[in-house]
Amino acid sequence: MSRVPDPALSRVVLIGTAHYDFLPALASVEDNLLSLADVLTAEEVWGLPAEHVTIVADPVTGADLLDPVVRAADEATDTLVFYYAGHGLTDPRRGELHLALVGSDAQRPYTAVSYAHVRDALLDSRATRRIVILDCCHSGRALGTMADPVTAAIDEASTEGTYVLAATAENQKALAPMGEPHTAFTAELLGIFQNGIQGHGPLLDLDTIYNHVRAAMRDKGRPLPQKRDRNTAGRLTLVRNRAHATLTDPEREFEAAMIDVYRRAKTEARYSATYFLEMLNQRGGLATARHLLNASRVSDGFTALWERGRLDLTVEAVILQSKFASLFTDDERERARARLKEYGYVPSDRPVTAMKSRLVEVHDFDPRYHTGGSRAIQGKCSWHGSSCDEKVVASVLVRIRGADVWHAVCERALRTLRAAQ
């Protein structure tokens, strides 16, 4: 196959259960889904339209998990990819694999979804190629490990045109290392999608991907994945080789920085910029930045980050990083600088050695200090954000992460800032 599967005729379903009522949580599963969606929609990898990638995080019912698979199976005529990460339960009598839901219980395998239902949906599809990726686990293990007897599932799935890639062999553990952003198996898969394979041509087929994942796992002393396919399925191209791509290094680094601010906003500022992520998936990093920069008004995301005191996580702040100066005109960079300044933020290229906030100035509250952002202008506390209903007592200039930001603060916030000095 001399090209990647037709993005218009292909579908991907990414399903993962990270949080459970009765089983150990697997926090890295959520990042697995987001990272896979990011990379598969990147033009230089596969270029799938965002609407052709379905993410199902923490399915509660069997229908939550299966309905998207059935829809994708009905729509795909070229390639259909099914991915699952989470706990895998086995029926003690039949040894069949079940995919865990939020409320699944290891003692009651029937509370999970039988893999046989997924297999049936895949077999009913008109897609000429079906790719199954299983990064699932067996319950009852300590947090940080996953065990997955998937041999039976692989045997059943090995029908014509199907390629199954599993995290581990039967009776082995597949790792979800604590402190790492992804499960061990998916991390290696993502590494190939994101970085490509040096020394290979512009396209990567399934067997090449599998062999490199397996070699990487072996080198790290981790459980070895296994695969099953029929006839020539392993020689089918899946993605472009990013190591062979023509993107310049600054363009690639800028796109990674845009994805990074999305993730940091979610974890550090508790703001999930879903629409921003959709734009990144659909437009790419540079086009998304220029679209937001040229808009007549700031985005809702910009305002939300201002209210949280995190304008360092805005697109404008990324644009002004000196290493990306070659990607933007002087006018574009000045527009980004003026917008941040209007909202009281002065970016700096000086290295930031501490994350601690420093109180620079304190004045009686005056709306004139706050030229942007709804909360401060209305006399509401912008330091604590929408969770605070206390009376504003001062306007303060705070230096945080190398930049100065004006905040309207309540008495409690002012005491905290003063005590931190």
Side-chain angles (χ1 to χ4, degrees):
M1 188 176 180
S2 59
R3 59 173 179 81
V4 296
D6 189 339
L9 304 178
S10 301
R11 300 293 187 273
V12 172
V13 181
L14 306 173
I15 299 177
T17 311
H19 307 99
Y20 299 88
D21 294 335
F22 307 104
L23 301 172
L26 297 168
S28 54
V29 165
E30 184 177 1
D31 277 343
N32 283 3
L33 303 180
L34 291 172
S35 297
L36 283 169
D38 286 344
V39 76
L40 293 176
T41 54
E43 188 61 37
E44 66 272 20
V45 179
W46 186 352
L48 280 168
E51 61 269 22
H52 290 181
V53 179
T54 300
I55 296 178
V56 181
D58 293 334
V60 176
T61 68
D64 291 343
L65 190 151
L66 290 169
D67 283 350
V69 180
V70 172
R71 284 194 298 271
D74 183 59
E75 295 169 357
T77 55
D78 187 327
T79 298
L80 173 63
V81 178
F82 170 80
Y83 168 92
Y84 174 82
H87 285 294
L89 307 180
T90 53
D91 184 324
R93 181 168 296 178
R94 300 181 181 85
E96 296 177 348
L97 179 67
H98 290 68
L99 309 181
L101 305 168
V102 169
S104 295
D105 185 339
Q107 304 305 314
R108 298 176 295 154
Y110 57 84
T111 58
V113 173
S114 172
Y115 176 79
H117 296 319
V118 175
R119 178 202 60 203
D120 291 344
L122 299 176
L123 293 178
D124 289 340
S125 176
R126 296 175 296 157
T128 56
R129 287 165 289 275
R130 309 172 192 92
I131 301 168
V132 178
I133 304 173
L134 300 172
D135 193 353
C136 56
C137 65
H138 180 62
S139 63
R141 303 285 182 177
L143 182 64
T145 62
M146 298 193 299
D148 172 30
V150 296
T151 300
I154 290 175
D155 289 339
E156 291 178 343
S158 296
T159 55
E160 195 70 24
T162 299
Y163 191 99
V164 181
L165 181 57
T168 183
E170 188 176 4
N171 299 324
Q172 287 187 324
K173 296 178 180 179
L175 301 178
M178 294 184 67
E180 294 188 14
H182 304 104
T183 56
F185 168 77
T186 296
E188 299 301 338
L189 193 64
L190 279 167
I192 291 174
F193 290 163
Q194 293 168 338
N195 305 314
I197 300 175
Q198 293 291 339
H200 283 258
L203 302 174
L204 297 177
D205 61 46
L206 290 167
D207 273 348
T208 298
I209 293 169
Y210 165 74
N211 289 334
H212 277 261
V213 170
R214 186 176 175 89
M217 297 288 277
R218 182 193 297 114
D219 290 345
K220 295 178 181 179
R222 292 180 167 180
L224 299 180
Q226 61 182 32
K227 62 104 173 179
R228 186 69 57 85
D229 62 338
R230 285 288 181 92
N231 297 330
T232 61
R235 295 202 293 272
L236 294 172
T237 294
L238 178 60
V239 295
R240 298 180 181 90
N241 184 7
R242 209 166 189 175
H244 198 269
T246 58
L247 264 186
T248 66
D249 288 340
E251 288 171 341
R252 190 173 300 158
E253 189 175 0
F254 181 79
E255 189 150 317
M258 292 281 277
I259 295 171
D260 184 58
V261 294
Y262 164 79
R263 291 176 176 153
R264 290 179 60 201
K266 186 174 182 180
T267 58
E268 297 175 20
R270 299 184 180 275
Y271 176 66
S272 183
T274 305
Y275 180 62
F276 175 68
L277 182 61
E278 289 177 1
M279 282 197 294
L280 284 177
N281 290 337
Q282 294 170 2
R283 301 168 182 261
L286 280 173
T288 295
R290 290 194 169 99
H291 171 77
L292 293 173
L293 186 61
N294 293 319
S296 58
R297 58 183 295 272
V298 299
S299 66
D300 291 342
F302 185 101
T303 302
L305 290 170
W306 180 87
E307 291 182 340
R308 290 163 171 79
R310 293 306 308 269
L311 289 181
D312 60 305
L313 297 178
T314 59
V315 171
E316 288 78 3
V318 178
I319 289 172
L320 289 174
Q321 292 181 27
S322 58
K323 60 184 175 181
F324 301 130
S326 64
L327 301 178
F328 299 93
T329 66
D330 291 343
D331 287 345
E332 287 172 330
R333 286 172 57 82
E334 183 54 38
R335 190 177 302 122
R337 184 176 289 105
R339 180 173 290 173
L340 290 169
K341 184 178 180 181
E342 179 184 359
Y343 279 72
Y345 182 87
V346 181
S348 171
D349 277 332
R350 291 174 299 175
V352 181
T353 58
M355 300 295 284
K356 186 177 178 181
S357 302
R358 184 164 73 84
L359 190 59
V360 179
E361 295 181 31
V362 179
H363 302 277
D364 291 340
F365 172 71
D366 188 332
R368 289 177 294 180
Y369 287 109
H370 312 282
T371 55
S374 57
R375 286 193 62 83
I377 291 174
Q378 296 170 12
K380 298 178 180 179
C381 179
S382 63
W383 183 260
H384 290 134
S386 58
S387 63
C388 182
D389 294 323
E390 299 178 35
K391 180 182 177 181
V392 165
V393 298
S395 293
V396 299
L397 185 63
V398 180
R399 182 160 296 156
I400 181 171
R401 297 172 178 84
D404 293 344
V405 183
W406 281 101
H407 276 284
V409 296
C410 64
E411 181 64 39
R412 178 164 53 95
L414 183 58
R415 286 199 305 269
T416 300
L417 287 165
R418 281 174 167 163
Q421 304 315 304

